[in-house]
Amino acid sequence: MRLGIVGTGSYVPEKVLTNFDLEKILDTSDEWIYTRTGIKERRIAEPGTGVSELCKVASERAIAAAGLQPSDIDLIVLGTITPDTHCPAGANWLEAKLGCDNAVSFDVTAACTGFIFSLHVASALIRAGFNKKALVCAGEIMSRTVNWKERESCILWGDGAGAVILTETSQGAEVLSTHIHTDGKNGRELLMPGGGSLTTPISHESVDKGLHFLKMINANTSLRTAVNHFADAAMEAVRTSGYRIEDVDLIIPHQANIRIMEGVARKLKTPMEKVYVTINKYGNISSATVPIALDEAVRDGTITKGKLVLLTAFGGGLTWGSSLIRW
Ligand SMILES: CC(C)(COP(=O)(O)OP(=O)(O)OC[C@H]1O[C@@H](n2cnc3c(N)ncnc32)[C@H](O)[C@@H]1OP(=O)(O)O)[C@@H](O)C(=O)NCCC(=O)NCCS
């Protein structure tokens, strides 16, 4: 079966938070943040907005780009670690907001690899004959998970959503392969201790301890681990499909830190010109960085017909994965 992406869409909130804004509330500087991370600014969702709202706009754009109606979609897979609520799932809110009344919808939790995991799951369900037209979306409001007093981590994150439409098709971009991996043993480096059954109901004590915040443990080690997993996943996708890394026209990595991306490019012996970068303007939007970058690369003409596009990501869990697409 030839599976293809027939539409892409993305959305980031309008509110911009620059490094200079952060200088006013934290002991930090634009120079430190930019040289250590590549980030200049990030987008922040308005209070009272849930992630399904961001995903709705991204998804409507993807559905329109595919020339479809919401009623044509029969599967919604949403990669997110910041759903509106844990019950109902974020995808259920999205389904209702889009009016996708013919779809079954659920979330996939795989942190920054959430989009690639979702693409893998949707591909498998279509290949198995259960579904025909999937909306694969990833969205996050990371700004609500961080401790804005913790300068090591709050500077990294931002908000946004991206989406694609996946279906069997003889035309358009072909998804050649998807690959996913996890390592639960070493999953504690990127941890949100609160919000699950372990700390529910929320107590004064858990809030006082800041258990509801995302924590980065050994951020430096995670930089090195990330480069290795990103590069391994990239090579797995390329080799499985019978290509060489030199054949790839564009790499869209998860945008966690420009130094990770440069490390991956060095490891893959690929020039940075082939690496699509959005981290300067959006920071790390966890699962959403890859589909947002993919949509922007399609819309700004970087991705044109025939180009070989490699997606690769790594994140909490640990999770990592890749996908090779012939546009
Ligand atoms: C967080 C990160 C940017 C820090 O960069 P780094 O080069 O590792 O920086 P270091 O840990 O060496 O810290 C250097 C110094 O800057 C200080 N510092 C930390 N955050 C700062 C900030 N926002 N502004 C100014 N100084 C800061 C530290 O306190 C430390 O000070 P010290 O030397 O006096 O102790 C980087 O490790 C990172 O991006 N990690 C995350 C990796 C990741 O995203 N993984 C994948 C997730 S998907």
Side-chain angles (χ1 to χ4, degrees):
M1 184 185 283
R2 185 185 186 282
L3 282 189
I5 290 176
V6 294
T8 66
S10 65
Y11 174 74
V12 289
E14 275 170 28
K15 185 175 171 193
V16 177
L17 183 71
T18 66
N19 293 346
F20 296 107
D21 296 328
L22 288 174
E23 283 182 359
K24 294 178 197 145
I25 55 166
L26 287 169
D27 179 15
T28 192
S29 66
D30 170 62
E31 204 259 331
W32 192 95
I33 299 173
Y34 186 63
T35 52
R36 301 284 176 130
T37 69
I39 301 168
K40 275 280 177 195
E41 57 190 44
R42 67 287 291 144
R43 300 300 180 97
I44 306 291
E46 289 298 333
T49 306
V51 85
S52 65
E53 204 53 44
L54 314 189
C55 293
K56 174 177 178 269
V57 184
S59 300
E60 282 172 345
R61 289 175 179 169
I63 292 169
L68 297 174
Q69 299 298 321
S71 55
D72 296 322
I73 303 296
D74 64 1
L75 172 67
I76 299 174
V77 187
L78 174 62
T80 187
I81 51 169
T82 54
D84 293 26
T85 56
H86 286 289
C87 181
N92 303 148
W93 291 104
L94 179 60
E95 175 198 316
K97 283 191 172 158
L98 289 170
C100 287
D101 297 339
N102 300 319
V104 63
S105 62
F106 57 89
D107 289 359
V108 165
T109 305
C112 302
T113 324
F115 177 73
I116 291 175
F117 271 62
S118 300
L119 194 62
H120 185 83
V121 169
S123 300
L125 287 172
I126 296 175
R127 284 191 198 285
F130 292 112
N131 299 96
K132 291 203 177 315
K133 286 192 173 58
L135 166 65
V136 184
C137 185
E140 308 284 3
I141 300 190
M142 297 306 291
S143 63
R144 307 234 178 97
T145 69
V146 300
N147 181 350
W148 285 100
K149 293 189 176 132
E150 218 173 81
R151 65 176 185 170
E152 295 78 11
S153 65
C154 73
I155 52 141
L156 296 170
W157 306 95
D159 306 336
V164 303
I165 306 299
L166 184 75
T167 186
E168 183 178 8
T169 175
S170 59
Q171 291 165 355
E174 180 180 5
V175 177
L176 299 170
S177 72
T178 54
H179 309 269
I180 58 171
H181 298 279
T182 59
D183 173 10
K185 285 190 305 299
N186 293 305
R188 288 169 189 222
E189 294 192 349
L190 197 66
L191 180 72
M192 203 184 301
S197 57
L198 205 57
T199 55
T200 304
I202 299 160
S203 63
H204 283 294
E205 194 194 351
S206 68
V207 173
D208 287 346
K209 286 184 179 162
L211 296 184
H212 50 296
F213 292 129
L214 184 72
K215 305 225 174 300
M216 274 196 331
I217 297 143
N218 301 327
N220 253 320
T221 327
S222 115
L223 274 178
R224 285 191 295 274
T225 315
V227 170
N228 291 335
H229 283 315
F230 270 106
D232 290 349
M235 285 315 298
E236 182 180 22
V238 169
R239 287 200 186 110
T240 308
S241 302
Y243 289 100
R244 297 163 310 154
I245 192 70
E246 304 87 280
D247 300 325
V248 172
D249 296 300
L250 187 71
I251 301 178
I252 299 185
H254 165 55
Q255 317 270 314
N257 186 315
I258 192 71
R259 287 152 57 206
I260 296 179
M261 289 185 253
E262 288 164 352
V264 172
R266 269 196 302 278
K267 224 172 164 198
L268 296 176
K269 299 189 173 60
T270 299
M272 271 305 278
E273 292 72 52
K274 283 191 176 185
V275 179
Y276 198 80
V277 175
T278 60
I279 192 165
N280 53 324
K281 50 185 185 173
Y282 300 145
N284 182 346
I285 318 178
S286 192
S287 66
T289 66
V290 169
I292 290 173
L294 181 64
D295 179 52
E296 292 201 355
V298 168
R299 287 176 194 261
D300 72 15
T302 307
I303 296 179
T304 48
K305 194 168 163 41
K307 292 253 167 106
L308 194 59
V309 180
L310 175 60
L311 314 182
T312 177
F314 165 82
L318 300 173
T319 57
W320 64 99
S322 58
S323 177
L324 194 65
I325 305 167
R326 172 68 77 187
W327 217 264

